[in-house]
């Protein structure tokens, strides 16, 4: 029996994903007409949205080929070092990741300690992120939001202070945005969705995982 949430994810992905270079390289992808002749005889260019998968007549076939060729290339370390300029300015800033984090976690019914236990990150690294001594990479913020069922507004605020945004050209971002927007936080459903698009880069601690924490 087909899982409805995976069907919904596929529909969302087809409507949102916009890496047209990768899409047009698929053998089953049919390039749409992107230009037309207007009533005045001038050439008009259509919005690039017409190239999205949701407009493909053979959408399921193209999506299946796309998934078959997927490979997760979004691996990063869980943190990045703070630039010297930020180390001197952060104490005087009203909003930083470390300052916004406690409130975001509290609204999700979590603490820094309980959230850290759900992440596949060395405790000493997580403590430095919490204290603002290290900055979290995008993968870390996404994982944190998913394992704590964080509210969308708080995710957006944490993204903003870190200079991150959801990129429609990245598979990871589109899938994670779907999960967060639709509140898909059940572990089995979440992992099914991530696995469907071969997203393995998020530092989420899984019960069956025997791997050590990442540095």
């Amino acid at each position: 029996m087909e899982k409805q949430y995976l069907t919904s994810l596929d529909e969302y992905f087809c409507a949102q994903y916009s890496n047209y270079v990768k899409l047009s390289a698929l053998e089953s992808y049919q390039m749409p007409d992107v230009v037309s002749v207007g009533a005045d005889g001038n050439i008009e260019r259509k919005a690039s949205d017409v190239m999205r998968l949701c407009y493909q007549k053979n959408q399921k076939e193209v999506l299946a080929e796309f998934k078959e060729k997927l490979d997760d290339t979004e691996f990063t370390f869980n943190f990045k070092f703070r630039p010297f300029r930020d180390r001197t300015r952060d104490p005087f800033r009203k909003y930083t990741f470390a300052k916004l984090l406690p409130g975001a976690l509290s609204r999700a019914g979590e603490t820094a300690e309980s959230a850290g236990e759900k992440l596949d990150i060395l405790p000493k690294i997580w403590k430095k992120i919490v204290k603002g001594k290290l900055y979290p990479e995008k993968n870390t913020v996404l994982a944190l939001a998913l394992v704590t069922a964080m509210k969308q507004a708080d995710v957006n605020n944490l993204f903003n202070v870190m200079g991150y945004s959801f990129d429609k050209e990245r598979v990871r971002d589109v899938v994670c945005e779907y999960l967060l927007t639709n509140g898909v936080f059940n572990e089995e459903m979440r992992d099914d969705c991530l696995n469907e698009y071969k997203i393995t880069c998020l530092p989420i601690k899984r019960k069956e995982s025997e791997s050590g924490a990442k540095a």
Side-chain angles (χ1 to χ4, degrees):
M1 182 177 178
E2 192 170 11
K3 297 178 179 178
Q4 183 58 45
Y5 57 89
L6 291 180
T7 301
S8 298
L9 170 58
D10 285 344
E11 292 173 353
Y12 183 89
F13 187 85
C14 289
Q16 298 293 324
Y17 186 69
S18 62
N19 191 325
Y20 305 126
V21 173
K22 289 188 176 181
L23 292 179
S24 60
L26 299 172
E27 292 183 9
S28 56
Y29 183 85
Q30 298 175 5
M31 181 63 70
D33 294 330
V34 294
V35 295
S36 61
V37 179
D40 56 3
N42 291 324
I43 300 296
E44 297 179 348
R45 187 171 186 85
K46 298 179 182 178
S48 60
D49 290 2
V50 300
M51 297 180 66
R52 295 187 180 182
L53 286 175
C54 57
Y55 295 108
Q56 291 286 299
K57 292 182 179 179
N58 56 338
Q59 176 180 312
K60 289 186 177 180
E61 178 185 348
V62 181
L63 182 59
E65 182 186 350
F66 180 83
K67 288 181 179 180
E68 185 180 353
K69 296 182 178 180
L70 274 176
D71 185 25
D72 192 349
T73 59
E74 300 288 353
F75 172 79
T76 61
F77 288 105
N78 296 317
F79 66 93
K80 56 185 176 181
F81 293 103
R82 298 164 61 204
F84 174 77
R85 181 178 61 180
D86 287 356
R87 292 203 301 271
T88 58
R89 292 182 178 180
D90 274 3
F92 304 100
R93 288 176 175 164
K94 184 177 181 179
Y95 301 115
T96 65
F97 182 88
K99 291 177 181 178
L100 292 177
L101 183 61
L105 291 176
S106 176
R107 284 183 285 275
E110 299 277 358
T111 63
E113 182 179 358
S114 66
E117 292 174 351
K118 298 178 181 180
L119 296 172
D120 192 15
I121 299 176
L122 285 173
K124 64 179 181 181
I125 296 297
W126 173 240
K127 288 180 181 179
K128 289 184 178 181
I129 291 175
V130 170
K131 292 180 179 180
K133 296 181 178 180
L134 295 173
Y135 283 161
E137 282 285 8
K138 192 174 187 178
N139 281 340
T140 303
V141 183
L142 288 172
L144 175 66
L146 290 175
V147 299
T148 61
M150 191 174 289
K151 296 184 182 300
Q152 186 71 44
D154 287 321
V155 178
N156 292 337
N157 288 335
L158 292 177
F159 260 31
N160 287 337
V161 296
M162 293 304 302
Y164 299 145
S165 62
F166 287 100
D167 186 347
K168 303 295 186 183
E169 293 191 0
R170 294 185 178 276
V171 172
R172 172 202 60 190
D173 287 27
V174 176
V175 173
C176 287
E177 187 173 31
Y178 166 82
L179 295 173
L180 293 167
T181 300
N182 292 279
V184 182
F185 299 120
N186 172 274
E187 288 186 28
E188 180 181 353
M189 295 169 65
R190 177 200 70 200
D191 290 348
D192 278 351
C193 290
L194 295 175
N195 292 334
E196 184 72 11
Y197 284 82
K198 299 179 183 177
I199 299 170
T200 60
C201 58
L202 302 182
I204 294 174
K205 184 178 291 183
R206 294 176 173 83
K207 294 178 182 178
E208 70 276 12
S209 175
E210 296 181 358
S211 61
K214 299 181 181 69

